[in-house]
Amino acid sequence: MNYQKELDKLISGLEKEGQVPKLLLHSCCAPCSSYVLEYLSNYFEITVFYYNPNIFPESEYTKRILEQQTLIGEMKTKHPVTFIAGNYDKDRFYEVTKGLEHVKEGGERCFKCYALRLEEAAKMAKECGYDYYTTTLSISPLKNADKLNEIGMRIAEKYGIKYLRSDFKKRNGYKRSIELSKKFGLYRQDYCGCVYSKQARELQDSRK
Ligand code: SF4
């Protein structure tokens, strides 16, 4: 499945009809959202939904959420971009990933983590009357776009909301996010977010 082509088709249909739908965009962090906001805000009215109870420690969570708000405040976009923060439900993350603590990044633990965040976004999108929901997560070369789209669609069906399928790393999306991070002076973390990914990064660094 070429998610980028599918998105191109959908956007060209919206442009022909002069529609600007409302999109709830789950964001994991400011750097990943930078390219997605630059791109999609030309076609959608976006609300960034920051729901990331996976992030450890709390000081890191605070740093990332503030960086996200700063970026939204500084970026110039064609259509408005607003912001909503979800709860920092740390216990929920540990509940859904129980027993998967030692699974390598990119495996089953991450799929549960994607689903936790996407489900909260879908619920919010449905309750607040958005036309679509999606996530920035597919921009990362370490994130499985097929799995994200599969989970996003499954949850979309459950809540009766449309999921915008994507693979934002295509068209040099990841590269552009690095350029934009430099331009806006964004903090770019060196681990995905949870305590397990932090420990894995520290172990990797200690072996250098
Ligand atoms: S490595 Fe990243 S995606 Fe995987 S469980 Fe941890 S925070 Fe979630």
Side-chain angles (χ1 to χ4, degrees):
M1 167 70 75
N2 187 325
Y3 302 110
Q4 184 60 55
K5 268 200 181 151
E6 189 184 78
L7 188 53
D8 287 342
K9 210 169 141 197
L10 187 139
I11 285 173
S12 119
L14 293 175
E15 284 188 305
K16 268 188 208 137
E17 288 166 22
Q19 287 181 25
V20 182
K22 281 172 68 184
L23 169 69
L24 189 75
L25 174 68
H26 165 264
S27 171
C28 55
C29 61
C32 288
S33 72
S34 60
Y35 161 74
V36 183
L37 286 173
E38 180 183 68
Y39 171 37
L40 291 184
S41 62
N42 290 313
Y43 314 105
F44 295 87
E45 205 176 285
I46 300 176
T47 299
V48 170
F49 180 52
Y50 191 87
Y51 179 73
N52 298 294
N54 50 314
I55 298 174
F56 175 90
E58 191 160 346
S59 54
E60 177 73 18
Y61 176 87
T62 308
K63 206 166 172 178
R64 293 192 195 186
I65 197 170
L66 289 175
E67 205 66 355
Q68 180 71 74
Q69 288 169 295
T70 305
L71 174 69
I72 295 169
E74 288 181 4
M75 259 187 130
K76 302 264 177 290
T77 54
K78 181 171 172 188
H79 296 297
V81 175
T82 50
F83 177 80
I84 310 180
N87 294 329
Y88 186 35
D89 295 328
K90 284 179 284 187
D91 295 347
R92 281 187 75 195
F93 172 72
Y94 292 112
E95 265 162 39
V96 302
T97 57
K98 202 166 179 345
L100 300 166
E101 294 84 351
H102 303 294
V103 175
K104 261 178 81 180
E105 184 171 341
E108 195 57 36
R109 188 188 67 232
C110 297
F111 303 157
K112 298 271 183 199
C113 180
Y114 302 165
L116 171 67
R117 292 183 278 169
L118 285 172
E119 180 138 17
E120 198 66 18
K123 264 194 253 174
M124 173 70 77
K126 183 68 186 175
E127 275 168 27
C128 300
Y130 286 85
D131 300 300
Y132 293 90
Y133 88 105
T134 195
T135 177
T136 57
L137 285 166
S138 69
I139 199 166
S140 163
L142 296 172
K143 300 285 183 298
N144 181 327
D146 285 331
K147 202 72 197 174
L148 276 166
N149 286 307
E150 178 199 311
I151 295 170
M153 293 298 282
R154 174 169 45 79
I155 294 173
E157 208 170 304
K158 179 174 166 188
Y159 288 92
I161 176 95
K162 286 185 273 186
Y163 183 72
L164 201 67
R165 289 201 284 197
S166 61
D167 188 357
F168 295 120
K169 66 180 87 48
K170 294 284 148 87
R171 299 244 168 90
N172 287 325
Y174 181 65
K175 187 169 164 262
R176 179 67 184 148
S177 75
I178 295 171
E179 288 165 8
L180 286 167
S181 299
K182 274 199 193 127
K183 177 178 167 188
F184 289 97
L186 299 176
Y187 158 66
R188 294 186 73 236
Q189 60 275 359
D190 64 357
Y191 67 102
C192 185
C194 64
V195 64
Y196 315 115
S197 59
K198 187 172 193 299
Q199 286 164 349
R201 162 58 66 181
E202 285 164 358
L203 187 66
Q204 208 181 348
D205 288 349
S206 71
R207 285 178 178 153
K208 276 180 193 162

